Amino acid sequence: MPGSLTPALERLAGRFASMPGIGRKSALRLAYHVLEMDESEVREFADALLCAKESIHICPVCMNFCEGALCPVCADASRDRSVICVVEDSKAVKAIEDLNEYRGLFHILHGVISPVDGIGPEKLKIKELLARLTPEVREVILATNPSVEGEATAMYLSRLIRPLGVKVTRLAYGLPVGATLEYADGVTLLKAFEGRTEI
Amino acid sequence: MPGSLTPALERLAGRFASMPGIGRKSALRLAYHVLEMDESEVREFADALLCAKESIHICPVCMNFCEGALCPVCADASRDRSVICVVEDSKAVKAIEDLNEYRGLFHILHGVISPVDGIGPEKLKIKELLARLTPEVREVILATNPSVEGEATAMYLSRLIRPLGVKVTRLAYGLPVGATLEYADGVTLLKAFEGRTEI
């Protein structure tokens, strides 16, 4: 269709459409919006993209994204080092931190075991988790999402960790099954924390 | 909340959240997605943003976004130069071009008259439209969105153009009232084109 989209606009829309949850029509809408933004705003956006990618790396202890040597949670001496909450991704850490209730540490797996997607345990940060299980650690809370894969990953980890004499708990099924942790409301998430059971 | 968001992540999420239709949670999701993209992909995204803004300008004839001297529609000698379809924005041009039915030219107003938002006729590309109304032009199709502002803008233009002896038509109300043209399905849009009436 002549004139409907210029190559540069098509390219930008394609970039937006490659992001999760953005369909073709929304991507076009966003691309058109960029054309209407001030040039300084567009530069700032491009720079924010590059900066985020360049300055953010993975915390060598908990595997969360961070900008300093350690992430703020691992660097915080007041956190309870005897509890490690294991989550799938950083979004879950944010959801839990926003509760302002949990005072232990985190460990981010960067995914879940999913044979369908070709993701085996070796692709997750499990080695790094096991290396953290010093005698100081009394409890590991498995807070993977309440999905089939999250559940399977929790079972897998529980079988690995229990023999080491560490208490292993799982968040209570107060969470709506099939949902992802990041969209849970605070109250539900808190209930799930309180009702966590040993597995 | 310590460790929930790094400054660079917060900045990037803020950029996404400033785009239309992207809320705070979606913006965070997109920002996290950027961290998981390859560095080359992020560079390509940033470059696509800058390129779109730098290489795209406004066609001096129809006011649509374009990359060459003229937009492909204005440059196409086979288009019917006796009809000009007046639309609010480029998204509407794309919706109409995708029908592959309309063979006339376009004129993009870059907005609608909206006193509430402080947008008077002088902020739209109306002068430029009037300058195009040579004797060659037999019909002006007013295809602003079927909203209150779109309707008012069409009435305003009709009063300006009719005295010049040019036929002025308006897309038929086959379009659902209150919607925007870009989300109309092809059949509805086509019906609206066919049933256009003189005003």
Side-chain angles (χ1 to χ4, degrees), chain A residues 105-174:
Chain A
L105 302 178
F106 288 98
H107 190 84
I108 291 89
L109 295 175
H110 287 271
V112 271
I113 299 170
S114 174
V116 178
D117 303 313
I119 302 171
E122 75 286 352
K123 294 211 176 152
L124 306 178
K125 307 290 186 190
I126 293 176
K127 266 196 329 282
E128 292 82 352
L129 172 62
L130 297 179
R132 293 178 66 186
L133 300 180
T134 57
E136 190 187 23
V137 177
R138 287 183 301 98
E139 181 179 356
V140 170
I141 304 173
L142 300 175
T144 48
N145 286 322
S147 61
V148 174
E149 293 82 7
E151 201 57 43
T153 306
M155 289 311 295
Y156 177 88
L157 289 176
S158 151
R159 277 192 211 114
L160 273 183
I161 299 169
R162 249 189 327 192
L164 307 176
V166 181
K167 182 175 167 189
V168 180
T169 57
R170 174 99 177 98
L171 289 193
Y173 256 115

